Amino acid sequence: PGPVLPLRVKGMPCSFLLRYSSTMRAVSSCSLLSRGALARTHTSSRGQNRLSTPLLGGSRSRSPSARTSGWPLREKRAAFVSSRLPTPPTRRVPPAASLEASVGEIATMANVLANGSSFSFPALWLVGFLPVCLGFINPVYSFSVGYGYSIALMSASLLLAAHGVNGLTLPVWLHLYGGLAYGLRLGTFLYYRSIKWADWGKRASNAPEAKPMSAPQRAGMFVGIALFYACMSCPMMWHLQHPEPAFSAFSLVGYLGLALQWTGLIIEGVADQQKFNFKAAPGNEGKWCEEGLFATSRHPNYLGEIMFWLGTSVAGFPSMAMASTTVASTVGIWVPPALGVLGITSLMIRVSGTLDQKQESKYGENDEYKQYVERSGRLLPKL
């Protein structure tokens, strides 16, 4: 036998070896696939060896047995080559690269919120829209849990943007952290109350936002709600983009707003917890709460919410005035906060009046309740 020649097809090793001899006929064959494929050699009329296997694209001459086989050699060749072709590797994004891309997108969003461009307010709107989508799980969440977490996410995004800005003063940080604390506290409390309060499901089912509607209608409603939340929160963004000096006569208005913001946050938090504890105590079912802050105000939690949002807007007044250089900028900066404050204030006044009417119809014949109404105010405490 002659030397052994390893054969390769397009860089891929074959599973067989050809042996040739000095004789004028083929001396060996091997099986390529499970059905087998013939490989043979023959000598040309000039005495040179020539490969004649269909696999290697040589001579097309075939033996009678090859012509009568059930599977043509050309199909065998195609099947063999296809089976030996390397599978292209699936491109996978490394976890580090994916995390880096996500961080880059977040940094871009933070830069948009901090650079004072025309896209700042739409970006804040988009951020606030994401938690509102919890309303697809329960429609009431758009005005409760989604409300709190929307404020928290917008404040957290502004805080992330603030860490890339140099020279920010203390009022800016107090302003932003006030929004974050308010949103996290409110969203967590409302979710906890929804799973612990037995009457919450019944009240939620009767809420206006729980009425049946199509998915596009509900999505449109959520877009409008997120716009309302962005209008309420945008003074924090203007404050970040145009920080006022830490100590100046102009900044005294900002400090007054911060004091009002944090006082409202504390009042609302304390009032919510006092009423929750009263309702959860045994023997208080069906009774009105007149303990703690409720002794002089029938709705101190709503009063705290009004104070918080009024303080949030007032704390941004110095920065908003500094940024109002043209008529267009003045309208774009002052109109959204004004709509937000007026909207939340009118909503709290209307809701507190509705609750007073419900309590009047429920406890109106009770002399003790009448005395409680006389010595307390709806929102402002009666001293």
Side-chain angles (χ1 to χ4, degrees):
V4 178
L5 297 180
L7 298 185
R8 292 179 177 270
V9 178
K10 294 184 180 180
M12 296 180 294
C14 293
S15 61
F16 65 93
L17 299 175
L18 281 182
R19 297 179 179 275
Y20 69 94
S21 63
S22 59
T23 60
M24 302 299 293
R25 52 191 302 223
V27 296
S28 65
S29 64
C30 62
S31 176
L32 297 177
L33 299 173
S34 60
R35 295 176 178 269
L38 298 178
R40 59 191 178 84
T41 58
H42 67 86
T43 306
S44 65
S45 57
R46 295 183 180 182
Q48 297 176 346
N49 292 338
R50 184 175 61 181
L51 184 64
S52 180
T53 173
L55 175 65
L56 302 178
S59 172
R60 298 181 61 84
S61 62
R62 289 180 284 183
S63 63
S65 61
R67 294 191 189 98
T68 59
S69 61
W71 194 12
L73 293 180
R74 181 174 296 178
E75 296 180 6
K76 292 180 180 180
R77 177 177 61 185
F80 175 78
V81 173
S82 298
S83 64
R84 292 302 189 271
L85 286 176
T87 303
T90 303
R91 184 179 180 184
R92 298 179 179 179
V93 180
S98 177
L99 179 60
E100 183 178 354
S102 301
V103 172
E105 294 174 359
I106 295 175
T108 302
M109 179 67 73
N111 183 53
V112 172
L113 293 174
N115 61 13
S117 67
S118 58
F119 296 101
S120 298
F121 186 83
L124 186 70
W125 182 5
L126 176 61
V127 172
F129 172 74
L130 299 179
V132 178
C133 291
L134 291 172
F136 285 111
I137 301 175
N138 188 324
V140 183
Y141 282 171
S142 60
F143 276 113
S144 59
V145 180
Y147 166 43
Y149 287 143
S150 178
I151 305 304
L153 186 59
M154 286 188 286
S155 302
S157 301
L158 293 172
L159 280 169
L160 179 63
H163 283 282
V165 179
N166 296 324
L168 293 180
T169 57
L170 179 62
V172 178
W173 294 108
L174 291 175
H175 204 179
L176 300 183
Y177 275 111
L180 179 63
Y182 177 86
L184 289 178
R185 201 275 323 166
L186 182 62
T188 304
F189 169 77
L190 292 177
Y191 175 73
Y192 183 76
R193 189 184 68 174
S194 68
I195 61 178
K196 292 295 184 179
W197 193 7
D199 294 339
W200 186 87
K202 181 179 179 180
R203 295 192 179 189
S205 61
N206 296 327
E209 58 271 18
K211 65 180 182 179
M213 62 179 66
S214 63
Q217 290 175 333
R218 197 170 297 280
M221 181 183 71
F222 293 163
V223 170
I225 293 172
L227 176 60
F228 179 49
Y229 296 162
C231 290
M232 295 160 59
S233 304
C234 64
M236 294 186 289
M237 183 176 66
W238 308 140
H239 200 176
L240 168 65
Q241 295 174 358
H242 306 280
E244 80 280 11
F247 301 100
S248 65
F250 197 49
S251 64
L252 292 178
V253 178
Y255 283 110
L256 176 63
L258 290 175
L260 193 61
Q261 179 196 38
W262 281 89
T263 302
L265 188 156
I266 295 172
I267 290 177
E268 183 178 1
V270 172
D272 281 342
Q273 194 61 43
Q274 286 179 346
K275 187 173 183 178
F276 180 81
N277 294 338
F278 178 84
K279 293 289 186 180
N284 289 337
E285 184 177 358
K287 295 183 179 181
W288 65 90
C289 179
E290 54 177 319
E291 297 179 354
L293 297 177
F294 289 87
T296 56
S297 172
R298 295 191 296 276
H299 307 284
N301 49 343
Y302 294 156
L303 172 64
E305 186 160 0
I306 293 174
M307 292 175 61
F308 174 84
W309 287 115
L310 182 61
T312 299
S313 293
V314 172
F317 280 178
S319 299
M320 293 160 61
M322 292 170 57
S324 301
T325 56
T326 62
V327 175
S329 63
T330 302
V331 173
I333 289 175
W334 287 91
V335 170
L339 293 177
V341 171
L342 292 176
I344 193 64
T345 302
S346 61
L347 180 63
M348 293 297 101
I349 294 175
R350 181 167 57 87
V351 171
S352 61
T354 302
L355 291 178
D356 274 352
Q357 292 176 0
K358 290 182 178 180
Q359 290 186 342
E360 180 67 26
S361 62
K362 187 175 182 180
Y363 309 113
E365 302 299 329
N366 192 312
D367 294 336
E368 294 182 0
Y369 179 75
K370 292 180 180 180
Q371 296 175 3
Y372 169 64
V373 172
E374 291 178 358
R375 66 172 182 267
S376 63
R378 179 195 295 183
L379 292 173
L380 295 176
K382 184 181 291 186
L383 303 177

